[in-house]
Amino acid sequence: LTCFVVAMAIVGCTSSKSPDTNKKKETTTESVTVESNLENSLTQNNNEQNNQPSSESQTVASKESIGIKIEDNDSKADIADIYMDEVRYYAYKTQATYEVYYMSKNKELKWNKKLKIGVTLEEGVKSQILSNICERQALYDEASKYDVSLSAEEESEANEEADYYLENSSEKMLSKVNISKERLVEIYKKEKIAKKVEDILNAKEKNSADEMYQQWKSKVTIVMEEPWGKINFSEKIMEE
């Protein structure tokens, strides 16, 4: 996926990426560039505030609060729900990535910093997180059209990845995300299926996956439920 996820007022999925914590080039303007790239991405989609796609077919997390609800524009039927454990996973993973990046550049991360487009850095990043979730869902929803499924090996990989995450994440991260292994495995499987669909589409024609997403986005309405608003980055996850 080309988008770096999250949510709130401004939405639409573009190719804005998360900070690369493995990048070795050092400049005094890199943190500014990260924020500038985010602003450019959000500006391109500023006219889509009232059409914020994202969703998820859910089986295990029936007791988890719904964070995002997707409805069909024509029938108004409920297409899918994204539960808060998935939202928390991507939101706090993103927060931690930004924290590590800024620490690596010896820069102060100010989530309340106002960007030129009028939103704070936190609001902008959350918007991109939501967009990334939306794009993944759109790709995932196309899987049946292309007969995409996972092999036994790929399903085993998802299980191993979940074990690794739960065994190697900090207590603070696990507390913030608060997700079961079963749900984590579901999320990793969903990622793999979405990536397969993306590869199939782009193999046919460059940017075909993004075009499909734009069409999908125009057909749905995204409703952010009350629990979504509780996601915030005020509590630091990564230690110095």
Short mmCIF file of all heavy atoms in Angstrom, two decimals, residues 1 14 34 49 53 65 85 97 99 104 113 134 142 156 161 173 177 189 197 204 227 238:
data_model
loop_
_atom_site.label_atom_id
_atom_site.label_comp_id
_atom_site.label_asym_id
_atom_site.label_seq_id
_atom_site.Cartn_x
_atom_site.Cartn_y
_atom_site.Cartn_z
N LEU A 1 0.84 -1.19 0.00
CA LEU A 1 0.00 0.00 0.00
C LEU A 1 0.87 1.24 0.00
O LEU A 1 1.92 1.27 0.62
CB LEU A 1 -0.89 0.02 1.25
CG LEU A 1 -1.93 -1.09 1.29
CD1 LEU A 1 -2.59 -1.12 2.66
CD2 LEU A 1 -2.98 -0.89 0.24
N THR A 14 -3.72 9.02 -0.66
CA THR A 14 -2.74 9.40 -1.66
C THR A 14 -1.46 8.67 -1.34
O THR A 14 -1.43 7.76 -0.54
CB THR A 14 -2.48 10.92 -1.62
OG1 THR A 14 -1.81 11.22 -0.40
CG2 THR A 14 -3.76 11.69 -1.72
N VAL A 34 8.85 16.16 6.04
CA VAL A 34 7.80 15.19 6.39
C VAL A 34 6.47 15.89 6.55
O VAL A 34 5.45 15.46 6.03
CB VAL A 34 8.18 14.45 7.69
CG1 VAL A 34 6.98 13.66 8.21
CG2 VAL A 34 9.35 13.50 7.45
N GLN A 49 -13.96 16.00 2.34
CA GLN A 49 -14.20 15.90 3.77
C GLN A 49 -15.45 15.10 4.11
O GLN A 49 -15.49 14.42 5.12
CB GLN A 49 -14.34 17.29 4.39
CG GLN A 49 -13.04 18.05 4.43
CD GLN A 49 -13.20 19.35 5.17
OE1 GLN A 49 -14.29 19.69 5.60
NE2 GLN A 49 -12.13 20.07 5.34
N PRO A 53 -14.04 7.20 3.05
CA PRO A 53 -14.18 5.77 2.99
C PRO A 53 -13.28 5.01 3.93
O PRO A 53 -12.17 5.38 4.16
CB PRO A 53 -13.76 5.45 1.58
CG PRO A 53 -13.66 6.72 0.87
CD PRO A 53 -13.56 7.79 1.88
N SER A 65 -15.86 -1.95 20.28
CA SER A 65 -16.60 -0.80 19.78
C SER A 65 -16.32 -0.57 18.30
O SER A 65 -15.21 -0.80 17.82
CB SER A 65 -16.22 0.45 20.56
OG SER A 65 -16.54 0.31 21.93
N ASP A 85 -10.17 -2.02 17.69
CA ASP A 85 -8.87 -2.66 17.87
C ASP A 85 -8.01 -2.52 16.61
O ASP A 85 -6.81 -2.29 16.69
CB ASP A 85 -9.00 -4.12 18.30
CG ASP A 85 -9.88 -4.96 17.40
OD1 ASP A 85 -10.44 -4.42 16.43
OD2 ASP A 85 -10.00 -6.17 17.69
N THR A 97 6.00 5.23 15.01
CA THR A 97 6.91 5.43 13.87
C THR A 97 7.36 6.89 13.78
O THR A 97 8.53 7.18 13.56
CB THR A 97 6.23 5.01 12.56
OG1 THR A 97 5.85 3.65 12.64
CG2 THR A 97 7.17 5.19 11.38
N GLU A 99 7.42 9.00 16.28
CA GLU A 99 8.26 9.29 17.44
C GLU A 99 9.70 8.81 17.20
O GLU A 99 10.66 9.54 17.49
CB GLU A 99 7.69 8.59 18.67
CG GLU A 99 6.40 9.24 19.18
CD GLU A 99 5.83 8.53 20.40
OE1 GLU A 99 6.40 7.51 20.82
OE2 GLU A 99 4.82 9.01 20.94
N SER A 104 15.29 10.09 15.95
CA SER A 104 16.49 9.79 15.17
C SER A 104 17.10 11.05 14.56
O SER A 104 18.29 11.10 14.27
CB SER A 104 16.17 8.78 14.06
OG SER A 104 15.42 9.37 13.02
N LYS A 113 1.31 21.12 16.64
CA LYS A 113 1.81 22.13 15.70
C LYS A 113 0.83 22.31 14.56
O LYS A 113 0.36 21.35 13.95
CB LYS A 113 3.17 21.70 15.14
CG LYS A 113 3.74 22.66 14.11
CD LYS A 113 5.08 22.18 13.57
CE LYS A 113 5.62 23.13 12.51
NZ LYS A 113 6.93 22.66 11.97
N CYS A 134 -8.81 2.93 4.63
CA CYS A 134 -9.82 2.92 3.57
C CYS A 134 -9.30 2.21 2.32
O CYS A 134 -9.99 1.39 1.72
CB CYS A 134 -10.21 4.34 3.20
SG CYS A 134 -11.03 5.26 4.48
N GLU A 142 -12.17 -6.23 -3.12
CA GLU A 142 -12.07 -6.67 -4.51
C GLU A 142 -11.54 -8.09 -4.65
O GLU A 142 -11.48 -8.63 -5.75
CB GLU A 142 -11.15 -5.72 -5.29
CG GLU A 142 -11.68 -4.29 -5.43
CD GLU A 142 -12.84 -4.22 -6.38
OE1 GLU A 142 -12.66 -4.53 -7.57
OE2 GLU A 142 -13.95 -3.86 -5.93
N SER A 156 0.00 -19.16 7.77
CA SER A 156 0.95 -19.47 8.85
C SER A 156 1.84 -18.27 9.14
O SER A 156 2.16 -17.97 10.30
CB SER A 156 1.80 -20.68 8.46
OG SER A 156 2.74 -20.98 9.46
N GLU A 161 3.59 -13.67 12.46
CA GLU A 161 3.75 -12.22 12.59
C GLU A 161 3.01 -11.70 13.81
O GLU A 161 3.49 -10.80 14.51
CB GLU A 161 3.24 -11.54 11.31
CG GLU A 161 4.14 -11.76 10.10
CD GLU A 161 3.46 -11.40 8.80
OE1 GLU A 161 2.31 -10.91 8.83
OE2 GLU A 161 4.07 -11.62 7.73
N MET A 173 2.89 -0.15 24.39
CA MET A 173 2.27 -0.30 23.07
C MET A 173 1.13 -1.31 23.14
O MET A 173 0.03 -1.06 22.63
CB MET A 173 3.30 -0.75 22.04
CG MET A 173 2.71 -1.05 20.66
SD MET A 173 2.05 0.43 19.85
CE MET A 173 3.52 1.00 19.01
N VAL A 177 -2.78 -0.51 22.26
CA VAL A 177 -3.46 -1.17 21.15
C VAL A 177 -4.56 -2.10 21.65
O VAL A 177 -5.65 -2.16 21.08
CB VAL A 177 -2.44 -1.95 20.29
CG1 VAL A 177 -3.17 -2.77 19.22
CG2 VAL A 177 -1.46 -0.98 19.63
N LYS A 189 -3.80 -11.04 7.79
CA LYS A 189 -4.33 -11.73 6.62
C LYS A 189 -4.96 -10.72 5.65
O LYS A 189 -4.80 -10.83 4.43
CB LYS A 189 -5.37 -12.77 7.04
CG LYS A 189 -4.80 -14.00 7.71
CD LYS A 189 -5.92 -14.98 8.08
CE LYS A 189 -5.38 -16.25 8.73
NZ LYS A 189 -6.49 -17.17 9.10
N VAL A 197 -4.22 -8.11 -4.24
CA VAL A 197 -5.14 -7.44 -5.17
C VAL A 197 -4.47 -6.22 -5.78
O VAL A 197 -4.58 -5.97 -6.99
CB VAL A 197 -6.44 -7.04 -4.45
CG1 VAL A 197 -7.33 -6.20 -5.37
CG2 VAL A 197 -7.19 -8.27 -3.96
N LYS A 204 -1.73 -4.91 -14.39
CA LYS A 204 -2.50 -4.67 -15.62
C LYS A 204 -2.20 -3.29 -16.19
O LYS A 204 -2.04 -3.12 -17.40
CB LYS A 204 -4.00 -4.78 -15.31
CG LYS A 204 -4.45 -6.18 -14.95
CD LYS A 204 -5.95 -6.20 -14.71
CE LYS A 204 -6.44 -7.61 -14.42
NZ LYS A 204 -7.91 -7.66 -14.22
N PRO A 227 -16.10 6.48 19.39
CA PRO A 227 -14.81 5.99 19.89
C PRO A 227 -13.62 6.45 19.06
O PRO A 227 -12.50 6.56 19.59
CB PRO A 227 -14.98 4.46 19.82
CG PRO A 227 -16.45 4.25 19.94
CD PRO A 227 -17.05 5.39 19.18
N MET A 238 7.14 5.62 22.69
CA MET A 238 8.54 5.20 22.63
C MET A 238 9.40 5.93 23.68
O MET A 238 9.22 7.12 23.92
CB MET A 238 9.12 5.47 21.24
CG MET A 238 8.31 4.84 20.12
SD MET A 238 8.10 3.04 20.28
CE MET A 238 9.81 2.50 20.06
#
